[in-house]
Amino acid sequence: MSLLSIRPAVVDDSSTILKFITELAIYEKAEHEVLANEQTIKETIFAPSGHVNALICESNGTPIGMAIYFFNYSTWLAKPGLYLEDLYVTEAQRGQGAGKLLLKRLAQIALEQGCGRFEWSCLDWNTPARDFYHSIGAVAQTQWIGYRMAGNTLHQFAKDD
């Protein structure tokens, strides 16, 4: 039986985080979109004035998963919220409770920080993840449509008059 534990990520976890990000991107059929490298992870997640946080899940001391999150703000609640950017558990270790343990720790952090919400997004085709989220009581927010501006579009829009 494996002993699962959650701890805050440290800068020495940068290569492990990059490995997990890459594995997640492969699973999501978007490996070509990963621009992160070990140095950029160190400079962003572990920046002294950074706004991003990460947790590592270990099984018997070996990293098997991660959660990357940040705080946002709800104007309607006038409270901060916790936004989970990425949750990942290595394929061979799924089904042992690591994902649920990471989510529970994030929920605890949200409450400790006075958050009114704990939110995340999931690809519409990722049925195993969606089924899991529903099983723990999470509710899909189908009335909201996410929008994104990135790359050249972001640059062009920012400088257009």
Side-chain angles (χ1 to χ4, degrees):
M1 181 170 176
S2 67
L3 177 63
L4 295 177
S5 60
I6 305 292
R7 63 171 176 79
V10 295
V11 71
D12 288 344
D13 292 314
S14 296
S15 64
T16 299
I17 291 170
L18 178 60
K19 176 180 159 279
F20 290 155
I21 289 169
T22 303
E23 288 177 13
L24 175 60
I26 291 168
Y27 176 76
E28 292 182 351
K29 300 167 185 61
E31 182 180 11
H32 63 283
E33 294 182 35
V34 175
L35 302 178
N37 60 51
E38 195 171 332
Q39 187 59 36
T40 58
I41 288 169
K42 288 178 182 178
E43 293 170 355
T44 54
I45 295 176
F46 302 105
S49 62
H51 304 285
V52 182
N53 304 280
L55 299 175
I56 298 291
C57 180
E58 295 180 330
S59 175
N60 299 317
T62 301
I64 63 164
M66 67 163 189
I68 298 175
Y69 66 99
F70 58 90
F71 296 97
N72 56 19
Y73 186 75
S74 167
T75 54
W76 289 7
L77 298 177
K79 289 185 173 194
L82 188 149
Y83 188 84
L84 171 60
E85 177 66 22
D86 279 325
L87 175 74
Y88 181 74
V89 176
T90 59
E91 188 174 1
Q93 300 295 325
R94 292 180 193 150
Q96 298 181 34
K100 187 173 185 178
L101 193 61
L102 282 161
L103 288 171
K104 278 186 172 288
R105 181 63 193 122
L106 290 166
Q108 292 164 353
I109 291 168
L111 292 176
E112 290 165 5
Q113 297 297 316
C115 295
R117 295 180 178 159
F118 171 23
E119 300 176 296
W120 61 92
S121 298
C122 182
L123 291 168
D124 61 355
W125 58 259
N126 192 347
T127 305
R130 293 178 67 192
D131 289 346
F132 168 64
Y133 298 144
H134 290 169
S135 78
I136 62 169
V139 178
Q141 298 296 296
T142 58
Q143 71 272 28
W144 294 94
I145 297 173
Y147 286 87
R148 178 177 294 162
M149 193 178 287
N152 191 46
T153 302
L154 175 61
H155 287 277
Q156 288 298 348
F157 183 75
K159 71 178 186 179
D160 284 346
D161 292 339

